[in-house]
Amino acid sequence: MINFQYLRTTSAKSALALLQKDKNAKFIAGGTNLIDLMKRGVTSPEKLIDINHVPLRQIELVGHNIIIGALASNTNVAENKLIKEKLPLLAMALNAGASAQLRNVATVGGNMMQRTRCGYFYDTEMPCNKREPGSGCGAIGGFNRMHAIFGTSDKCIAVHPSDMCVALTALDAVVVIANAKGERKLLFKDFHRLPGDTPQLDNNLKADEMIIRLEIPANNLAAHSHYLKVRDRASYAFALVSVAAAVEISDNKIKDVRLAMGGVAHKPWRLTASEDFLKGKEANAQNFEQAASLAMSGAKGFGENDFKLAMSPNSIIEALNLATAKV
Amino acid sequence: MQSSDKESNRGDTRRDFLKKSSVITAIALTPAAAVKAAENQADERFAELFEKIPLNITVNNKAYSTSVEPRVTLLDYLREELHLTGTKKGCDHGQCGACTLHADGERINSCLSLAVMNEGKKITTIEGLASGAELHPMQAAFIKHDGFQCGYCTPGQIMSAVACVNEGHTGSRAEIAEYMSGNICRCGAYPNIVDAIIEVSKGGAKV
């Protein structure tokens, strides 16, 4: 690993002041992805600002919002009583990701900032528009079994690797972001980006900004929530396809429903058309099939990942079945 | 780095300044840094190029006040600086779990944690589990149930197994396998490891 300047700070204010001075500096929290990328030479920041001592680890209910500090660890969120009770979908998604060792260290903000696991992004000998804009894409026409089927561009077909972010998209989370001058709010669904012509940009966080916390509005979806993760082995593997499903049922009808997918796009992929279709309808097999079919509009395979075109609708149906079967 | 120089001019040592400041800065290539590195018997070539920064850390109940380059991982610090080679370097990318240890009581992959990020923490490695000649219950259970094969992954497996019990994730063989899956060699599917964990878990004590 190439050496770097290391700075440690204890407040968000000083962290942002340091970033203001050098916009090429990178924050390090858990470091579980960043250190890996630095060891592989994918990224070589000249300056790291250690924000682990900034007090942003709160998990609390404030009014109708569940607040999660950007530095809360994945374990602390997943094991938190409030989260398990109010947002079981988020707890399930977190526990489906990584290993206990990594979840103990990885933070909510870091999870949002993690980079794709596309092999061409990691292999510095290969072309990758995300790592080296303009160098090309090795995955298009290459080994693309893990890659995207929605929202791709001719520049990039990488997927976002997070499970947590899929649940947060479904839960209508709001990201609170700060710079040296103040705070702004961004809907979670607008935090991550599609690749377009700028696949090097994973998200809409600006160079002088820091993720402060998440605000998740309380909902009535807890009773019927399920995070389904389909992967190559039972545990500790990235998703081939994942589905976050949460349903509110009233008088045998679907009152509210949230559906989002992971492993299929450059960002967590919300299934708005399927949600709109299901609202007001009965929770039955026929409607689930129709919703899953609607979700596939615009899907496109790249050869090795064509199986996702069939796996995705099946996974949506399965996730809806599992969510609605819960008592 | 100007503020650092200013402080030094007032007669404080650089280390004093670093301790007082809420922001620790490093890599100023000052003569003081080279001297300090030399005092620490660092390789002179590196001392000229890179400054080390202070690290106070407790490992297996022994306190260390030392300094390291920022890029040194906790794993490399333990193995190469403290010569505690029980913690194994496997993949070095957080995928195999061989480097698992406890930091402030929580299991982590030490290969993906910079030593300087563990300032002030209490670290327990496999060497710190036994009390003298008396094995830790999990070590004894691993021997009893033959929880090794080649043994290279075993220190990490045992550190994860102890954490798994303390976290309360031993409700079933499946749950144990799930929570041992970050130790990819024999990844929890090795039944003898699960047997050892069940035995210690049934003991009911915090281990």
Side-chain angles (χ1 to χ4, degrees), chain A residues 30-112:
Chain A
T32 51
N33 187 205
L34 182 57
I35 294 173
D36 188 23
L37 292 168
M38 288 167 69
K39 283 185 176 183
R40 294 178 195 268
V42 176
T43 183
S44 306
E46 290 177 8
K47 188 182 283 183
L48 290 186
I49 304 169
D50 182 348
I51 53 171
N52 279 294
H53 298 272
V54 177
L56 289 173
R57 294 184 188 266
Q58 76 276 27
I59 303 168
E60 57 194 1
L61 185 65
V62 179
H64 290 293
N65 280 319
I66 294 134
I67 307 289
I68 304 176
L71 291 166
S73 76
N74 285 5
T75 297
N76 284 346
V77 178
E79 299 276 348
N80 184 275
K81 197 168 164 261
L82 178 71
I83 302 296
K84 281 194 207 171
E85 187 188 315
K86 305 275 188 197
L87 306 172
L89 181 67
L90 178 59
M92 279 187 86
L94 280 163
N95 280 328
S99 66
Q101 289 98 311
L102 292 168
R103 292 195 295 268
N104 280 343
V105 180
T107 64
V108 165
N111 193 319
M112 290 164 62

Coordinates of all heavy atoms in Angstrom, one line a residue, chain A residues 30-112:
Chain A
G30 N -14.9 2.7 8.8 CA -14.5 1.3 9.0 C -13.3 0.9 8.2 O -12.4 0.2 8.6
G31 N -13.3 1.4 6.9 CA -12.2 1.1 6.1 C -12.2 -0.3 5.4 O -11.3 -0.6 4.7
T32 N -13.3 -1.0 5.6 CA -13.3 -2.4 5.1 C -13.3 -2.5 3.6 O -12.8 -3.5 3.0 CB -14.5 -3.2 5.6 OG1 -15.7 -2.4 5.4 CG2 -14.4 -3.4 7.1
N33 N -13.7 -1.5 2.9 CA -13.6 -1.5 1.4 C -12.5 -0.6 1.0 O -11.7 -1.0 0.1 CB -15.0 -0.9 0.8 CG -15.0 -1.0 -0.7 OD1 -15.7 -0.3 -1.3 ND2 -14.3 -2.0 -1.3
L34 N -12.3 0.6 1.6 CA -11.3 1.5 1.2 C -9.8 0.9 1.3 O -9.0 1.0 0.4 CB -11.4 2.8 2.0 CG -10.4 3.9 1.6 CD1 -10.5 4.2 0.1 CD2 -10.6 5.1 2.4
I35 N -9.6 0.2 2.4 CA -8.2 -0.3 2.6 C -8.0 -1.5 1.6 O -6.9 -1.6 1.1 CB -8.0 -0.8 4.1 CG1 -8.1 0.4 5.0 CG2 -6.7 -1.6 4.2 CD1 -8.1 0.1 6.5
D36 N -9.0 -2.2 1.3 CA -8.9 -3.3 0.3 C -8.5 -2.7 -1.0 O -7.6 -3.1 -1.7 CB -10.2 -4.0 0.3 CG -10.1 -5.3 -0.6 OD1 -9.0 -5.8 -0.8 OD2 -11.2 -5.7 -1.1
L37 N -9.2 -1.6 -1.4 CA -9.0 -1.0 -2.7 C -7.6 -0.3 -2.7 O -6.9 -0.3 -3.8 CB -10.0 0.1 -3.0 CG -11.4 -0.4 -3.2 CD1 -12.5 0.7 -3.2 CD2 -11.5 -1.1 -4.6
M38 N -7.1 0.2 -1.6 CA -5.8 0.8 -1.5 C -4.7 -0.3 -1.6 O -3.7 -0.1 -2.3 CB -5.6 1.6 -0.2 CG -6.4 2.9 -0.2 SD -6.6 3.6 1.4 CE -4.9 4.1 1.7
K39 N -4.9 -1.4 -1.0 CA -4.0 -2.5 -1.1 C -3.8 -3.0 -2.5 O -2.7 -3.4 -3.0 CB -4.4 -3.7 -0.2 CG -4.1 -3.5 1.3 CD -4.5 -4.8 2.0 CE -4.2 -4.6 3.5 NZ -4.4 -5.9 4.2
R40 N -4.9 -3.0 -3.3 CA -4.9 -3.5 -4.6 C -4.4 -2.4 -5.6 O -4.4 -2.7 -6.8 CB -6.3 -4.0 -5.1 CG -6.7 -5.2 -4.3 CD -8.1 -5.7 -4.7 NE -8.7 -6.6 -3.8 CZ -8.6 -7.9 -3.9 NH1 -8.0 -8.5 -4.9 NH2 -9.2 -8.7 -3.0
G41 N -4.3 -1.2 -5.1 CA -3.8 -0.1 -6.0 C -4.9 0.4 -6.9 O -4.7 1.1 -7.9
V42 N -6.2 0.1 -6.6 CA -7.3 0.7 -7.3 C -7.5 2.1 -7.0 O -7.8 2.9 -7.9 CB -8.6 -0.1 -7.0 CG1 -9.8 0.5 -7.7 CG2 -8.4 -1.6 -7.4
T43 N -7.2 2.5 -5.8 CA -7.2 3.9 -5.4 C -6.0 4.2 -4.5 O -5.6 3.3 -3.7 CB -8.6 4.3 -4.7 OG1 -8.6 5.6 -4.4 CG2 -8.8 3.5 -3.4
S44 N -5.5 5.4 -4.6 CA -4.3 5.7 -3.8 C -4.4 7.1 -3.2 O -3.7 8.0 -3.7 CB -3.0 5.6 -4.6 OG -2.9 4.4 -5.2
P45 N -5.3 7.3 -2.3 CA -5.5 8.7 -1.7 C -4.2 9.2 -1.1 O -3.5 8.4 -0.4 CB -6.7 8.5 -0.7 CG -6.7 7.1 -0.4 CD -6.2 6.3 -1.6
E46 N -4.0 10.5 -1.2 CA -2.8 11.0 -0.6 C -3.0 11.4 0.9 O -2.1 11.6 1.6 CB -2.3 12.3 -1.3 CG -1.8 11.9 -2.7 CD -1.4 13.1 -3.5 OE1 -1.4 14.2 -2.9 OE2 -1.1 13.0 -4.7
K47 N -4.3 11.5 1.2 CA -4.6 11.9 2.6 C -5.9 11.2 3.0 O -6.9 11.2 2.3 CB -4.9 13.4 2.6 CG -5.0 14.1 3.9 CD -5.3 15.6 3.9 CE -4.0 16.3 3.5 NZ -4.2 17.8 3.5
L48 N -5.8 10.6 4.2 CA -7.0 10.0 4.8 C -7.4 10.8 6.1 O -6.5 11.1 6.9 CB -6.7 8.5 5.2 CG -6.6 7.5 4.1 CD1 -6.5 6.1 4.7 CD2 -7.7 7.6 3.1
I49 N -8.7 11.0 6.2 CA -9.2 11.7 7.5 C -10.0 10.7 8.2 O -11.0 10.2 7.8 CB -10.0 12.9 7.1 CG1 -9.3 13.9 6.2 CG2 -10.5 13.6 8.4 CD1 -10.1 15.0 5.6
D50 N -9.4 10.2 9.4 CA -10.1 9.2 10.2 C -11.2 9.8 11.0 O -11.0 10.7 11.8 CB -9.0 8.6 11.1 CG -9.6 7.5 12.0 OD1 -10.8 7.3 12.0 OD2 -8.8 6.8 12.6
I51 N -12.5 9.4 10.6 CA -13.6 10.1 11.3 C -14.3 9.1 12.3 O -15.4 9.4 12.8 CB -14.7 10.5 10.3 CG1 -15.1 9.3 9.3 CG2 -14.2 11.7 9.4 CD1 -16.3 9.7 8.4
N52 N -13.6 8.1 12.7 CA -14.2 7.1 13.6 C -14.5 7.7 15.0 O -15.4 7.1 15.7 CB -13.2 5.9 13.8 CG -13.4 4.9 12.7 OD1 -14.4 4.3 12.5 ND2 -12.3 4.8 11.9
H53 N -13.9 8.8 15.4 CA -14.2 9.4 16.7 C -15.2 10.5 16.6 O -15.5 11.1 17.6 CB -12.9 9.9 17.3 CG -11.9 8.7 17.5 ND1 -11.9 8.0 18.7 CD2 -10.9 8.2 16.7 CE1 -10.9 7.1 18.6 NE2 -10.3 7.2 17.4
V54 N -15.8 10.7 15.4 CA -16.8 11.7 15.3 C -18.1 11.1 15.9 O -18.4 10.0 15.5 CB -17.0 12.1 13.8 CG1 -18.2 13.1 13.7 CG2 -15.8 12.7 13.3
P55 N -18.8 11.8 16.8 CA -19.9 11.2 17.5 C -21.2 11.1 16.6 O -22.1 11.9 16.7 CB -20.2 12.0 18.7 CG -19.6 13.4 18.3 CD -18.5 13.1 17.4
L56 N -21.2 10.1 15.7 CA -22.4 10.0 14.8 C -22.8 8.5 14.8 O -23.1 7.9 13.7 CB -22.0 10.4 13.4 CG -21.8 11.9 13.1 CD1 -21.2 12.1 11.7 CD2 -23.1 12.7 13.3
R57 N -22.9 7.9 16.0 CA -23.3 6.5 16.0 C -24.7 6.3 16.6 O -25.0 5.2 17.0 CB -22.2 5.7 16.8 CG -20.9 5.7 16.2 CD -19.8 4.9 16.9 NE -18.5 5.1 16.3 CZ -18.0 4.2 15.3 NH1 -18.7 3.2 14.9 NH2 -16.8 4.5 14.8
Q58 N -25.5 7.3 16.7 CA -26.8 7.2 17.3 C -27.8 6.4 16.5 O -27.7 6.4 15.3 CB -27.3 8.6 17.6 CG -27.9 9.4 16.4 CD -26.9 10.1 15.6 OE1 -25.7 9.8 15.5 NE2 -27.4 11.1 14.9
I59 N -28.7 5.7 17.2 CA -29.8 5.0 16.6 C -31.0 5.3 17.5 O -31.0 4.9 18.6 CB -29.6 3.5 16.5 CG1 -28.3 3.1 15.8 CG2 -30.8 2.8 15.9 CD1 -27.8 1.7 15.9
E60 N -31.9 6.2 17.0 CA -33.0 6.6 17.9 C -34.2 7.0 17.1 O -34.2 7.2 15.9 CB -32.5 7.8 18.7 CG -32.0 9.0 17.8 CD -31.2 10.1 18.6 OE1 -31.0 9.9 19.8 OE2 -30.8 11.1 17.9
L61 N -35.3 7.0 17.8 CA -36.6 7.5 17.3 C -36.8 8.9 17.6 O -36.9 9.3 18.8 CB -37.7 6.6 17.8 CG -39.1 6.8 17.2 CD1 -39.2 6.4 15.8 CD2 -40.1 6.0 18.0
V62 N -36.9 9.8 16.6 CA -37.2 11.2 16.9 C -38.5 11.6 16.1 O -38.5 11.6 14.9 CB -36.0 12.1 16.4 CG1 -36.3 13.6 16.7 CG2 -34.7 11.7 17.1
G63 N -39.6 11.8 16.9 CA -40.8 12.0 16.2 C -41.2 10.8 15.4 O -41.3 9.7 16.0
H64 N -41.5 11.0 14.1 CA -41.9 9.9 13.3 C -40.7 9.3 12.5 O -40.9 8.5 11.5 CB -43.0 10.3 12.3 CG -44.3 10.5 13.1 ND1 -45.0 9.5 13.7 CD2 -45.0 11.6 13.3 CE1 -46.1 10.0 14.2 NE2 -46.1 11.3 14.1
N65 N -39.5 9.8 12.8 CA -38.3 9.3 12.0 C -37.4 8.4 12.9 O -37.1 8.8 14.0 CB -37.5 10.5 11.5 CG -38.1 11.1 10.3 OD1 -38.6 10.4 9.4 ND2 -38.2 12.4 10.2
I66 N -36.9 7.4 12.3 CA -35.9 6.6 12.9 C -34.6 7.2 12.4 O -34.3 7.2 11.1 CB -36.0 5.1 12.5 CG1 -37.3 4.6 13.2 CG2 -34.8 4.3 13.1 CD1 -38.1 3.8 12.3
I67 N -33.7 7.6 13.3 CA -32.5 8.3 12.9 C -31.3 7.3 13.1 O -31.2 6.7 14.2 CB -32.2 9.5 13.8 CG1 -33.5 10.4 13.8 CG2 -31.0 10.3 13.4 CD1 -33.7 11.2 12.6
I68 N -30.5 7.2 12.1 CA -29.3 6.4 12.2 C -28.1 7.2 11.8 O -28.0 7.7 10.7 CB -29.4 5.2 11.3 CG1 -30.6 4.4 11.6 CG2 -28.1 4.3 11.5 CD1 -30.9 3.2 10.6
G69 N -27.1 7.4 12.8 CA -25.9 8.1 12.5 C -25.1 7.5 11.5 O -25.0 6.2 11.3
A70 N -24.3 8.3 10.7 CA -23.5 7.7 9.6 C -22.5 6.8 10.0 O -22.0 5.9 9.3 CB -22.9 8.9 8.8
L71 N -22.1 6.9 11.3 CA -21.0 6.0 11.8 C -21.4 4.8 12.6 O -20.6 4.1 13.2 CB -19.9 6.8 12.5 CG -19.2 7.8 11.6 CD1 -18.4 8.8 12.4 CD2 -18.2 7.0 10.7
A72 N -22.8 4.6 12.7 CA -23.3 3.4 13.4 C -22.8 2.2 12.6 O -22.8 2.2 11.4 CB -24.8 3.5 13.4
S73 N -22.3 1.2 13.4 CA -21.8 0.0 12.7 C -22.9 -0.8 12.2 O -24.0 -0.8 12.7 CB -20.9 -0.8 13.6 OG -21.7 -1.5 14.5
N74 N -22.6 -1.6 11.1 CA -23.7 -2.5 10.6 C -24.2 -3.4 11.6 O -25.4 -3.7 11.7 CB -23.1 -3.3 9.4 CG -22.9 -2.4 8.1 OD1 -23.1 -1.2 8.2 ND2 -22.5 -3.1 7.1
T75 N -23.3 -3.9 12.5 CA -23.8 -4.8 13.6 C -24.7 -4.1 14.5 O -25.8 -4.6 14.9 CB -22.6 -5.4 14.4 OG1 -21.8 -6.1 13.5 CG2 -23.1 -6.3 15.5
N76 N -24.3 -2.9 14.9 CA -25.1 -2.2 15.9 C -26.5 -1.8 15.4 O -27.5 -1.8 16.1 CB -24.4 -0.9 16.4 CG -23.3 -1.3 17.4 OD1 -23.3 -2.4 17.9 ND2 -22.4 -0.3 17.7
V77 N -26.6 -1.5 14.1 CA -27.9 -1.3 13.5 C -28.7 -2.6 13.4 O -29.9 -2.6 13.8 CB -27.8 -0.6 12.1 CG1 -29.1 -0.4 11.4 CG2 -27.0 0.7 12.2
A78 N -28.1 -3.6 12.9 CA -28.8 -4.9 12.7 C -29.3 -5.5 14.0 O -30.3 -6.2 14.1 CB -27.9 -5.9 12.0
E79 N -28.5 -5.3 15.1 CA -28.9 -5.9 16.4 C -29.7 -4.9 17.3 O -30.1 -5.3 18.4 CB -27.6 -6.3 17.2 CG -26.7 -7.3 16.4 CD -27.1 -8.7 16.7 OE1 -27.9 -9.0 17.6 OE2 -26.6 -9.6 15.9
N80 N -29.9 -3.7 16.8 CA -30.6 -2.7 17.6 C -32.1 -3.1 17.7 O -32.8 -3.4 16.8 CB -30.5 -1.4 16.9 CG -31.1 -0.3 17.7 OD1 -32.3 0.0 17.6 ND2 -30.3 0.4 18.6
K81 N -32.6 -3.0 19.0 CA -34.0 -3.4 19.2 C -35.0 -2.6 18.4 O -36.0 -3.1 17.8 CB -34.3 -3.2 20.7 CG -35.5 -3.9 21.3 CD -35.5 -3.9 22.8 CE -36.9 -4.2 23.3 NZ -37.7 -3.1 23.7
L82 N -34.8 -1.3 18.4 CA -35.7 -0.4 17.6 C -35.7 -0.7 16.1 O -36.8 -0.8 15.5 CB -35.2 1.1 17.8 CG -35.9 2.2 17.0 CD1 -37.3 2.4 17.6 CD2 -35.1 3.5 17.0
I83 N -34.6 -1.0 15.6 CA -34.5 -1.4 14.2 C -35.2 -2.7 13.9 O -35.9 -2.9 12.9 CB -33.0 -1.4 13.7 CG1 -32.3 -0.1 13.9 CG2 -32.9 -1.9 12.2 CD1 -32.8 1.1 13.1
K84 N -34.9 -3.7 14.8 CA -35.5 -5.0 14.6 C -37.0 -4.9 14.6 O -37.7 -5.6 13.9 CB -35.0 -6.0 15.7 CG -33.6 -6.5 15.5 CD -33.5 -7.7 16.5 CE -32.0 -7.9 16.8 NZ -31.9 -8.9 17.9
E85 N -37.5 -4.0 15.5 CA -39.0 -3.9 15.7 C -39.6 -3.1 14.6 O -40.6 -3.5 14.0 CB -39.2 -3.3 17.1 CG -40.7 -3.2 17.5 CD -40.9 -2.4 18.7 OE1 -40.1 -2.5 19.7 OE2 -41.8 -1.6 18.7
K86 N -39.0 -2.0 14.3 CA -39.6 -1.0 13.3 C -39.2 -1.2 11.9 O -40.0 -0.9 10.9 CB -39.3 0.4 13.7 CG -39.6 0.8 15.1 CD -41.1 1.2 15.2 CE -41.4 1.8 16.6 NZ -42.8 1.8 16.9
L87 N -38.0 -1.7 11.7 CA -37.4 -1.8 10.3 C -36.7 -3.2 10.1 O -35.6 -3.2 9.8 CB -36.4 -0.7 10.0 CG -36.9 0.8 10.2 CD1 -35.7 1.7 10.1 CD2 -38.0 1.1 9.2
P88 N -37.5 -4.3 10.3 CA -36.9 -5.6 10.2 C -36.2 -5.8 8.8 O -35.3 -6.6 8.7 CB -38.0 -6.6 10.5 CG -39.3 -5.8 10.3 CD -38.9 -4.3 10.6
L89 N -36.8 -5.2 7.8 CA -36.2 -5.3 6.5 C -34.8 -4.9 6.5 O -33.9 -5.5 5.9 CB -37.0 -4.5 5.5 CG -36.6 -4.6 4.0 CD1 -36.9 -5.9 3.4 CD2 -37.4 -3.5 3.2
L90 N -34.5 -3.8 7.1 CA -33.1 -3.2 7.2 C -32.2 -4.2 8.0 O -31.1 -4.5 7.5 CB -33.1 -1.8 7.8 CG -31.8 -1.2 8.0 CD1 -31.0 -1.0 6.7 CD2 -31.9 0.2 8.7
A91 N -32.7 -4.7 9.1 CA -31.9 -5.7 9.9 C -31.6 -6.9 9.1 O -30.4 -7.4 9.0 CB -32.6 -6.0 11.2
M92 N -32.6 -7.4 8.3 CA -32.4 -8.6 7.5 C -31.3 -8.4 6.4 O -30.5 -9.2 6.1 CB -33.7 -9.0 6.8 CG -34.6 -9.8 7.7 SD -36.0 -10.4 6.7 CE -35.3 -11.9 6.1
A93 N -31.4 -7.2 5.8 CA -30.5 -6.9 4.7 C -29.1 -6.8 5.2 O -28.1 -7.3 4.6 CB -30.9 -5.6 4.0
L94 N -28.9 -6.1 6.3 CA -27.6 -5.9 6.9 C -27.0 -7.3 7.3 O -25.8 -7.6 7.0 CB -27.7 -5.1 8.2 CG -27.7 -3.6 7.9 CD1 -28.2 -2.8 9.1 CD2 -26.4 -3.0 7.4
N95 N -27.8 -8.2 7.9 CA -27.3 -9.5 8.3 C -27.0 -10.4 7.1 O -26.3 -11.4 7.2 CB -28.3 -10.2 9.2 CG -28.1 -9.6 10.6 OD1 -27.0 -9.3 11.0 ND2 -29.2 -9.6 11.4
A96 N -27.6 -10.0 5.9 CA -27.3 -10.8 4.7 C -26.0 -10.4 4.1 O -25.4 -11.1 3.2 CB -28.4 -10.6 3.7
G97 N -25.4 -9.3 4.5 CA -24.2 -8.7 3.9 C -23.0 -9.1 4.7 O -22.9 -9.1 5.9
A98 N -21.9 -9.3 4.0 CA -20.5 -9.5 4.5 C -20.5 -10.6 5.6 O -21.3 -11.6 5.6 CB -20.0 -8.2 5.0
S99 N -19.6 -10.5 6.6 CA -19.4 -11.4 7.7 C -19.5 -10.6 9.0 O -19.5 -9.4 9.0 CB -18.0 -12.1 7.6 OG -17.0 -11.1 7.8
A100 N -19.6 -11.4 10.1 CA -19.7 -10.7 11.4 C -18.5 -9.8 11.6 O -18.6 -8.7 12.2 CB -19.8 -11.8 12.5
Q101 N -17.3 -10.3 11.2 CA -16.1 -9.5 11.4 C -16.2 -8.1 10.7 O -15.8 -7.1 11.2 CB -14.9 -10.2 10.9 CG -14.4 -11.4 11.7 CD -14.9 -12.7 11.2 OE1 -16.1 -12.8 10.8 NE2 -14.1 -13.7 11.0
L102 N -16.7 -8.2 9.5 CA -16.8 -6.9 8.7 C -17.9 -6.1 9.2 O -17.8 -4.8 9.2 CB -17.0 -7.3 7.2 CG -15.8 -7.9 6.5 CD1 -16.1 -8.5 5.2 CD2 -14.6 -6.9 6.4
R103 N -19.0 -6.7 9.5 CA -20.2 -5.9 10.0 C -19.9 -5.1 11.3 O -20.4 -4.1 11.6 CB -21.4 -6.8 10.2 CG -22.0 -7.3 8.9 CD -23.4 -7.9 9.1 NE -23.4 -9.0 10.0 CZ -23.3 -10.3 9.6 NH1 -23.2 -10.6 8.3 NH2 -23.4 -11.3 10.5
N104 N -19.0 -5.7 12.1 CA -18.6 -5.0 13.4 C -17.9 -3.7 13.1 O -17.9 -2.8 13.9 CB -17.7 -5.9 14.2 CG -18.5 -7.0 15.0 OD1 -19.7 -6.9 15.1 ND2 -17.8 -8.0 15.4
V105 N -17.3 -3.6 12.0 CA -16.4 -2.4 11.7 C -17.1 -1.5 10.7 O -17.0 -0.3 10.8 CB -15.0 -2.9 11.2 CG1 -14.2 -1.7 10.8 CG2 -14.4 -3.8 12.2
A106 N -17.7 -2.1 9.7 CA -18.3 -1.3 8.6 C -19.4 -0.4 9.1 O -20.2 -0.8 10.0 CB -18.9 -2.3 7.5
T107 N -19.5 0.8 8.6 CA -20.5 1.8 9.0 C -21.5 2.0 8.0 O -21.4 1.6 6.8 CB -19.8 3.1 9.3 OG1 -19.3 3.6 8.0 CG2 -18.7 3.0 10.3
V108 N -22.6 2.6 8.4 CA -23.7 2.9 7.5 C -23.3 3.8 6.3 O -23.5 3.6 5.2 CB -24.9 3.5 8.3 CG1 -25.9 4.2 7.4 CG2 -25.6 2.5 9.2
G109 N -22.6 4.9 6.7 CA -22.1 5.8 5.7 C -21.1 5.1 4.7 O -21.1 5.3 3.5
G110 N -20.2 4.3 5.3 CA -19.2 3.6 4.5 C -19.9 2.6 3.5 O -19.5 2.5 2.4
N111 N -20.9 2.0 4.0 CA -21.7 1.0 3.2 C -22.3 1.7 2.0 O -22.2 1.2 0.9 CB -22.8 0.4 4.1 CG -23.4 -0.8 3.5 OD1 -23.7 -0.8 2.3 ND2 -23.7 -1.8 4.3
M112 N -22.8 2.9 2.2 CA -23.3 3.7 1.1 C -22.3 4.1 0.1 O -22.5 4.3 -1.1 CB -24.0 5.0 1.6 CG -25.3 4.7 2.4 SD -25.8 6.2 3.4 CE -26.1 7.4 2.1

